[in-house]
Amino acid sequence: RLQLLAVNRSPPAPSCLQQIISTMETQVSNGPTSNSGLPNGPPLSANGAADDSKTNLIVNYLPQNMTQEEFKSLFGSIGEIESCKLVRDKITGQSLGYGFVNYVDPNDADKAINTLNGLKLQMKTIKVSYARPSSASIRDANLYVSGLPKSMSQKEMEQLFSQYGRIITSRILVDQVTGVSRGVGFIRFDKRIEAEEAIKGLNGQKPLGASEPITVKFANNPSQKTGQALLSHLYQTTARRYTGPLHHQTQRFRLDNLLNMAYGVKRFSPITIDSMTSLAGVNLTGASSGGWCIFVYNLSPEADESVLWQLFGPFGAVTNVKVIRDFATNKCKGFGFVTMTNYEEAAMAIASLNGYRLGDRILQVSFKTSKQHKA
DNA sequence: TATTATT
């Protein structure tokens, strides 16, 4: 039976993968501009609205594995925190490596900059600075520059670009062994408009003394992952949990699965289907008239239906999702259900997503059994 | 020829 299913399998809809990727893309929009602060001082507020310009900090270059709790603990050691947030990818839950801390007392914000900026955490040096007022005008202002003369320093690159606006960060990538410039770098401007002007003025131009023109364009947004990057992430966070020769077949299956998602190619063999089936603990209780019901456990209280669509959609036809909520608080009680039409797609989703890390939680995903409601 | 800076 499994062999038959493997042969007749319909590939997961590519549009679903596109959907999950596009959801991760940063929305670009034009919005009102606001004042920016002095380069070394707190930003100025644009209007009479709540002014947190002297209390709200942005923290960059955080270690990938730092949790919200560790983040709060570190900055809470300075003074009372009004609010703080470690920013994560909405879908994968992975830390984006930066966060915000809003202190009650401006003096504590100042103290945090003085004591924590430059702190070394696990090969990283964190940066603590005042957050600029949030505005659409400061988004997508990061430029990717290539073709730079190998001799050009970061300071020289900044000098070249500074005529177009205030530079927030700059970086020249270097060979990890020799330390020599790779001729590519990044420039982040305060405003997107400034970045646009820099492209107009510098793209295709030769820096004074250079023999080759440089290329200046908007940098790829880190959340605009390619299908490959996303799938590679999925693969790493699922298959890697299984070690040892006995699970080799399982890992092979997962890799095939992810390659299928990426390229829409059928690469299944009956043996891999069999090995996966035993892994997923398949029994027939997951089946019902409307398809295959999947139990998803360890969702966060904030989880909603969209996250289930995003997680399971790439694996194939999803007909229904449901987050179970507490009647009083309307918060998710930690689990939900997903119904998928095709057995094999459901089994693939389970094999790939069981053990998947969503935020700081490890999901448990299985076919629904008759007595799982008490979980 | 690609790091992770705006909730």
Side-chain angles (χ1 to χ4, degrees), chain A residues 96-111:
Chain A
L96 292 183
Y98 66 93
F100 296 89
V101 181
N102 194 14
Y103 284 100
V104 174
D105 186 341
N107 292 319
D108 288 333
D110 183 66
K111 200 204 302 185

Side-chain angles (χ1 to χ4, degrees), chain A residues 60-65 118-126 171 176:
Chain A
N60 293 293
Y61 309 106
L62 291 167
Q64 174 68 39
N65 59 8
L119 180 70
K120 287 183 173 57
L121 293 174
Q122 301 170 1
M123 316 313 282
K124 292 229 177 186
T125 304
I126 71 170
R171 179 189 218 97
Q176 288 196 338

Side-chain angles (χ1 to χ4, degrees), chain A residues 102 111 148 161 172 191 347:
Chain A
N102 194 14
K111 200 204 302 185
L148 292 166
F161 282 83
I172 287 181
K191 294 287 193 293

Side-chain angles (χ1 to χ4, degrees), chain A residues 287-330:
Chain A
S288 68
S289 57
W292 300 86
C293 190
I294 298 167
F295 176 67
V296 186
Y297 181 69
N298 211 13
L299 296 169
S300 81
E302 285 71 37
D304 62 4
E305 271 72 13
S306 70
V307 73
L308 292 179
W309 285 111
Q310 288 161 356
L311 281 170
F312 287 81
F315 292 93
V318 176
T319 57
N320 190 45
V321 300
K322 185 168 187 62
V323 167
I324 305 303
R325 294 185 169 82
D326 180 273
F327 185 78
T329 67
N330 208 34

Side-chain angles (χ1 to χ4, degrees), chain A residues 178-251:
Chain A
T178 67
V180 70
S181 166
R182 296 169 61 190
V184 303
F186 293 88
I187 294 272
R188 180 180 298 278
F189 279 101
D190 181 43
K191 294 287 193 293
R192 179 177 174 93
I193 298 173
E194 297 168 341
E196 288 170 351
E197 290 304 314
I199 292 175
K200 287 180 195 166
L202 293 176
N203 183 39
Q205 299 293 317
K206 285 188 216 170
L208 15 346
S211 56
E212 298 299 322
I214 61 174
T215 299
V216 184
K217 55 189 184 184
F218 282 110
N220 293 334
N221 200 301
S223 53
Q224 288 174 330
K225 286 185 181 169
T226 65
Q228 283 236 16
L230 193 146
L231 295 163
S232 147
H233 166 76
L234 268 178
Y235 176 67
Q236 287 173 0
T237 53
T238 56
R240 213 166 43 183
R241 293 174 301 116
Y242 297 93
T243 56
L246 287 179
H247 296 291
H248 197 76
Q249 205 58 252
T250 298
Q251 295 189 15

Side-chain angles (χ1 to χ4, degrees), chain A residues 297-374:
Chain A
Y297 181 69
N298 211 13
L299 296 169
S300 81
E302 285 71 37
D304 62 4
E305 271 72 13
S306 70
V307 73
L308 292 179
W309 285 111
Q310 288 161 356
L311 281 170
F312 287 81
F315 292 93
V318 176
T319 57
N320 190 45
V321 300
K322 185 168 187 62
V323 167
I324 305 303
R325 294 185 169 82
D326 180 273
F327 185 78
T329 67
N330 208 34
K331 295 281 189 184
C332 174
K333 291 173 77 171
F335 63 97
F337 296 97
V338 175
T339 305
M340 297 186 69
T341 305
N342 304 308
Y343 167 80
E344 190 191 325
E345 290 170 350
M348 279 196 297
I350 290 168
S352 292
L353 294 174
N354 184 38
Y356 182 74
R357 180 180 144 159
L358 183 65
D360 47 9
R361 294 159 178 270
I362 305 297
L363 296 185
Q364 294 172 37
V365 184
S366 63
F367 282 108
K368 179 187 172 188
T369 64
S370 53
K371 45 186 172 186
Q372 234 158 6
H373 271 290
K374 67 182 179 186

